Amino acid sequence: MFGQIGSVLPGIALCAAVTVLAFAAGWGEARLFGEPWIEALVLAILIGTALRTMWTPSALWRPGIAFSAKTLLEVAVVLLGATVSAATILSAGPALLLGIAAVVLVAVAAGFGIGRLLGLPVRMALLVACGNAICGNSAIAAVAPVIDADSEDVAASIAYTAVLGVAVVLALPVIGLGLKLSGVQYGALAGLTVYAVPQVIAAAAPLGSTAVQVGTLVKLVRVLMLGPVCLILSLLAPQLDRTASAARRPAAPPVRRLVPWFIQGFLAMIALRSLDLIPQPALVPMGHAATLLTVVSMAALGLGVDVRTVARAGGRVTAAVVLCLLMLGAVSLGLIHLIGLA
């Protein structure tokens, strides 16, 4: 047991060091520009990838890097469930709740189709589709272990999604003003299209406090769809390798293993939060822990990335993300007018 722990410590320490550099770079951005335009999560991937480009980790580092990329990420997904409560979700009303769920499912399916039409591999197409439809980097990170995605696919999806996600934050207020949307309508649009909660607040703020409140609520409900989507993908995962012959294709797992343990934990955390069984003082630290572990795991992913593989996928991934964003915006506007938000 102690030997196993010792084998992962060097790699974990390396990922932690990259994480510290990422947060330091984010702090530097905030000092220079007033706010960090590139999240620590993305910076961790970039720093890890740069280090991997200059240096190939030996057997001393690889076990800990693999542990950080998979196990720590799964723990982060479980902790993420503590940030969502049933009361917050139900306050949105049935029409909007059903509409958000429909938008997410349509966006995942359509985004996957767009990715495949552009020639993306199955798993990368799923990563781009889920990141676009749910919550960007966090969704990509959560879906990756469910579908057994390669680190190169994860890094490429997050890199291009993150860059275009910032572009959406900058462009969305102009679109909202141009379309003369009310605070409620624009807040719903921001919550349905922007990736991260802080980015939703930044995008919604120019149109007032109502837009911020509605946008944050819609965004939290959208994040909740991560659980059902991961559940569906876990059921479909054995069928992803269609190129394998029937004899080589892995047998379907038993029912108890269809839902990964961390998705079960994610849903359990939501239930515990909704029943007030998680002490209030623990909620903020749990959220911070989820963020920290996610950044550490992204550093690990960066350390496992061959930058040449990412570069080869660049044009197609960028096109897929742009088309997915345009599609999501159109579907979201359709929902806003369909349910008659004022």
Side-chain angles (χ1 to χ4, degrees):
M1 176 179 176
F2 291 106
Q4 292 178 337
I5 294 175
S7 68
V8 301
L9 286 179
I12 293 175
L14 177 61
C15 295
V18 173
T19 298
V20 170
L21 290 175
F23 279 112
W27 177 83
E29 282 185 279
R31 294 281 293 179
L32 287 173
F33 308 112
E35 60 180 307
W37 288 100
I38 304 177
E39 297 174 313
L41 185 149
V42 178
L43 289 169
I45 289 181
L46 295 176
I47 295 170
T49 301
L51 182 58
R52 173 65 179 82
T53 301
M54 298 181 291
W55 167 69
T56 301
S58 67
L60 173 67
W61 310 98
R62 286 196 292 267
I65 293 173
F67 178 85
S68 299
K70 184 178 187 297
T71 304
L72 294 187
L73 178 56
E74 293 172 348
V75 173
V77 173
V78 173
L79 293 175
L80 184 64
T83 65
V84 184
S85 71
T88 301
I89 297 162
L90 294 175
S91 67
L96 184 56
L97 287 176
L98 291 174
I100 295 169
V103 167
V104 169
L105 294 176
V106 168
V108 170
F112 176 71
I114 289 171
R116 293 298 287 154
L117 285 173
L118 290 172
L120 296 185
V122 171
R123 286 175 173 80
M124 182 176 280
L126 280 173
L127 291 175
V128 171
C130 291
N132 176 72
I134 305 173
C135 50
N137 301 333
S138 298
I140 292 170
V143 167
V146 176
I147 63 174
D148 194 26
D150 294 334
S151 58
E152 287 88 355
D153 290 349
V154 176
S157 303
I158 286 180
Y160 294 105
T161 298
V163 171
L164 291 172
V166 172
V168 171
V169 172
L170 297 175
L172 204 61
V174 178
I175 295 173
L177 291 171
L179 295 176
K180 298 181 179 179
L181 299 178
S182 68
V184 173
Q185 291 173 328
Y186 179 74
L189 178 64
L192 286 167
T193 55
V194 179
Y195 294 146
V197 174
Q199 290 179 337
V200 170
I201 295 172
L207 272 77
S209 60
T210 299
V212 172
Q213 293 167 4
V214 174
T216 302
L217 175 59
V218 171
K219 177 60 188 171
L220 288 175
V221 177
R222 189 170 154 217
V223 170
L224 183 63
M225 288 299 295
L226 185 61
V229 168
C230 285
L231 172 58
I232 293 170
L233 290 178
S234 70
L235 299 175
L236 297 176
Q239 306 302 318
L240 292 181
D241 295 310
R242 292 187 176 181
T243 56
S245 65
R248 295 177 57 193
R249 191 176 298 158
V255 174
R256 68 179 183 277
R257 294 180 57 193
L258 285 176
V259 184
W261 75 270
F262 57 94
I263 298 303
Q264 297 178 38
F266 175 83
L267 298 174
M269 280 292 185
I270 294 175
L272 291 174
R273 168 74 185 274
S274 302
L275 295 171
D276 288 327
L277 295 178
I278 300 177
Q280 288 294 321
L283 293 176
V284 172
M286 290 174 75
H288 290 328
T291 299
L292 178 61
L293 290 176
T294 301
V295 176
V296 172
S297 66
M298 292 303 102
L301 286 175
L303 287 166
V305 168
D306 182 343
V307 70
R308 291 167 296 185
T309 302
V310 177
R312 283 196 295 268
R316 290 175 295 157
V317 176
T318 302
V321 174
V322 169
L323 291 175
C324 285
L325 278 170
L326 293 175
M327 176 272 302
L328 179 62
V331 173
S332 299
L333 285 171
L335 171 66
I336 289 168
H337 291 293
L338 179 65
I339 63 178
L341 287 180

